[in-house]
Amino acid sequence: MPTEYSNYVGGEWTDARSGETFETRDPANPDEVVATYPQSDAADTETAIEAAVAASAEWGSTPGPERGRILSRTSALLAERKDELTDLLVREEGKTRSEAGGEVQRAIDIFDYYGAKASDLGGTVKSSSARNTNLYTENEPLGVAGLITPWNYPIAIPAWKIAPALAAGNAAVIKPASLAPGVVHEMATALEEAGLPDGVLNVVTGPGSEVGDTIASHPEVDAVSFTGSTAVGNTVYDTATDDGKRVQLEMGGKNPTVVSDSADVEEAADIVASGAFGVTGQACTACSRAIVYEDVYDEFVDAVVERAEAIEPGPGLDDPDMGPHVSESELESTVDYVGIGEDEGATLETGGAALDREGYFVEPAVFSDVEPDYRIAQEEIFGPVLSVIPVGGYEEALDVANGVEYGLSASIVTDDHTEANRFVDEAEAGVVKINEKTTGLELHVPFGGVKASSSETYREQGDAGLDFYTISKTVYDSY
């Protein structure tokens, strides 16, 4: 039987006022309904925001170590339920079990990290130019944070928004993506059991046009953190900044890996294939462009094609090499882009076809002979499609790497130390890696992009994750 979830508002589990619901289905078996959720509207969202407002002052005045203990207990509860959370994530989003288990562990680690960081929150002490004066700063919570999160990392991204928001003393309202909201509800359950006061976290499911727009526009929401597509993110930004909200956006990517002629080609193919085809290419940091020096181009194409053809897609619970797309529309979009690449004149070396089986499965695709201005080399595909672009050397590689509207993650595979250092300095990306895949993040350092990948306002994760949810007050204490 499908699990029936409710909204979590003011410490209570409630249905949408309309009584309407929607379903999630297993992408590997679309006939199977996984769970049902409230189809909430603006009025439901307003109630959740009111609950957050009512709880914000008391939570904001709660000592940081006490807040941290609740987050740490939440981490422990999530760890106890890791297997069931992993299975739920797989059944709604489609990741392989190994990928989903890694993501759940990331959420566990995030709550543990911010549980400890909550005790360190404070300001700085400065020496005053006046006698008999203490001069210092205090970091205060903003009030109410509105969080809008995507389906592709349905527990990790909510965790890295919720945990710092609560650690800093804010109340929050979160709208999880409708394709895979279950793990957010389970996270709210863990926070409730850990002792989080009523109203500090509120979970509302439903369409972005109702729930998301209300969060972005409501006058009592003080900050909005959004992760998703660039088109939607720009709309959220315009709406939220109309009344001066603090806004943080993390959006799309068209991430390159440069392969130098000094690189070990087999190692480079491993790095690129992992970044391109992991999580079915459904990551904002996925590698979608391999920019390869001509001297090793043919050898690299052969090597990465071999890796793509070795991948066997299957249901995530079976822990295959690659899971399905999350939905039929995502699968259709990937297949459409494969057709666009062929029409543009690129050579489809392998893959790109939907599998003739139940579920939203596709073969990983590799294109060669791709020109930098082709749509498949410019637009975010969000599927396991790799464009391999030949270049004459470093200068051309850099131009191609930077020649897109996005700037999230970029990597270079090289044994040339000068090339590596130049790429760090010259790549237009918020995350730059040397001899590593474009995907994969440490939780204690900042994450974010540039150009159309980000609002370029505040970073997420680490200490930077706390900066977004606090504001500094300067105190002059004369005695």
Side-chain angles (χ1 to χ4, degrees):
M1 290 291 292
T3 303
E4 296 182 2
Y5 285 104
S6 300
N7 289 333
Y8 184 59
V9 177
E12 297 183 357
W13 296 95
T14 62
D15 295 329
R17 297 185 187 190
S18 67
E20 295 183 6
T21 62
F22 65 91
E23 300 172 340
T24 59
R25 293 176 178 265
D26 184 344
N29 179 17
D31 289 337
E32 179 187 343
V33 177
V34 178
T36 62
Y37 299 89
Q39 183 83 336
S40 308
D41 60 16
D44 296 311
T45 313
E46 288 170 359
T47 300
I49 293 169
E50 290 165 4
V53 171
S56 62
E58 179 65 24
W59 180 245
S61 64
T62 300
E66 184 176 337
R67 297 196 298 263
R69 282 192 289 272
I70 292 173
L71 299 184
S72 296
R73 284 198 292 269
T74 300
S75 175
L77 289 168
L78 294 175
E80 290 174 6
R81 301 168 189 170
K82 181 178 177 180
D83 285 346
E84 62 189 84
L85 291 170
T86 297
D87 287 350
L88 175 58
L89 197 160
V90 171
R91 292 176 64 220
E92 286 197 325
E93 198 274 344
K95 280 186 171 75
T96 69
R97 204 169 192 287
S98 293
E99 292 167 343
E103 183 183 341
V104 173
Q105 186 62 52
R106 170 56 63 93
I108 293 166
D109 294 344
I110 286 168
F111 275 96
D112 184 56
Y113 173 81
Y114 283 109
K117 294 296 289 185
S119 296
D120 291 336
L121 290 174
T124 57
V125 177
K126 299 291 184 179
S127 179
S128 174
S129 58
R131 296 179 183 274
N132 302 325
T133 299
N134 294 321
L135 181 63
Y136 59 96
T137 65
E138 294 181 347
N139 291 326
E140 297 183 343
L142 297 174
V144 174
L147 314 176
I148 303 172
T149 58
W151 52 261
N152 63 322
Y153 283 91
I155 192 167
I157 292 177
W160 79 48
K161 294 181 189 294
I162 291 171
L166 301 189
N170 299 276
V173 178
I174 184 169
K175 177 205 147 6
S178 295
L179 286 171
V183 281
V184 169
H185 287 71
E186 297 296 342
M187 192 157 45
T189 297
L191 281 159
E192 181 183 45
E193 292 182 23
L196 189 72
D198 295 348
V200 175
L201 177 68
N202 304 273
V203 181
V204 185
T205 55
S209 58
E210 291 282 341
V211 180
D213 283 358
T214 303
I215 288 172
S217 63
H218 198 285
E220 296 209 78
V221 172
D222 300 289
V224 174
S225 180
F226 168 90
T227 300
S229 72
T230 299
V232 176
N234 288 335
T235 299
V236 169
Y237 185 88
D238 290 341
T239 301
T241 55
D242 274 350
D243 63 354
K245 289 181 178 62
R246 183 177 287 191
V247 180
Q248 174 188 68
L249 306 178
E250 292 304 335
M251 301 178 287
K254 192 66 180 174
N255 311 293
T257 296
V258 172
V259 179
S260 167
D261 56 5
S262 67
D264 181 301
V265 172
E266 295 296 320
E267 178 186 5
D270 286 338
I271 289 170
V272 170
S274 179
F277 307 133
V279 297
T280 320
Q282 297 177 136
C284 56
T285 54
C287 175
S288 59
R289 296 180 296 150
I291 303 168
V292 184
Y293 289 20
E294 291 171 347
D295 287 348
V296 294
Y297 184 82
D298 291 340
E299 182 183 357
F300 175 84
V301 170
D302 290 343
V304 80
V305 166
E306 180 182 352
R307 283 151 179 80
E309 291 179 342
I311 291 171
E312 295 186 8
L317 290 177
D318 295 343
D319 208 20
D321 299 322
M322 190 176 81
H325 268 299
V326 70
S327 68
E328 185 175 16
S329 63
E330 291 294 328
L331 172 63
E332 290 174 348
S333 176
T334 292
V335 173
D336 286 347
Y337 267 109
V338 171
I340 289 168
E342 291 181 297
D343 291 344
E344 288 181 306
T347 300
L348 180 61
E349 296 282 348
T350 190
L355 298 184
D356 185 17
R357 58 180 293 182
E358 186 177 38
Y360 307 129
F361 295 98
V362 68
E363 300 168 335
V366 177
F367 279 101
S368 64
D369 305 317
V370 178
E371 295 294 330
D373 61 349
Y374 285 0
R375 286 182 61 189
I376 60 169
Q378 289 287 321
E379 299 175 10
E380 186 176 40
I381 297 174
F382 227 64
V385 179
L386 176 69
S387 296
V388 189
I389 304 170
V391 292
Y394 176 79
E395 298 296 343
E396 185 180 359
L398 182 69
D399 287 343
V400 173
N402 290 341
V404 294
E405 65 174 324
Y406 300 103
L408 186 52
S409 181
S411 73
I412 186 169
V413 186
T414 182
D415 283 342
D416 186 322
H417 197 58
T418 299
E419 278 186 338
N421 284 335
R422 284 194 62 188
F423 192 72
V424 168
D425 290 342
E426 297 169 350
E428 295 173 354
V431 176
V432 181
K433 297 186 173 185
I434 302 167
N435 298 327
E436 290 191 19
K437 61 183 179 179
T438 56
T439 53
L441 307 168
E442 296 271 5
L443 63 85
H444 57 292
V445 291
F447 169 68
V450 297
K451 301 193 292 188
S453 292
S454 173
S455 56
E456 299 186 347
T457 49
Y458 292 85
R459 294 306 198 210
E460 296 191 280
Q461 303 200 109
D463 289 331
L466 293 166
D467 291 342
F468 175 69
Y469 296 104
T470 58
I471 191 164
S472 181
K473 174 185 288 183
T474 304
V475 179
Y476 297 78
D477 174 18
S478 298
Y479 58 90

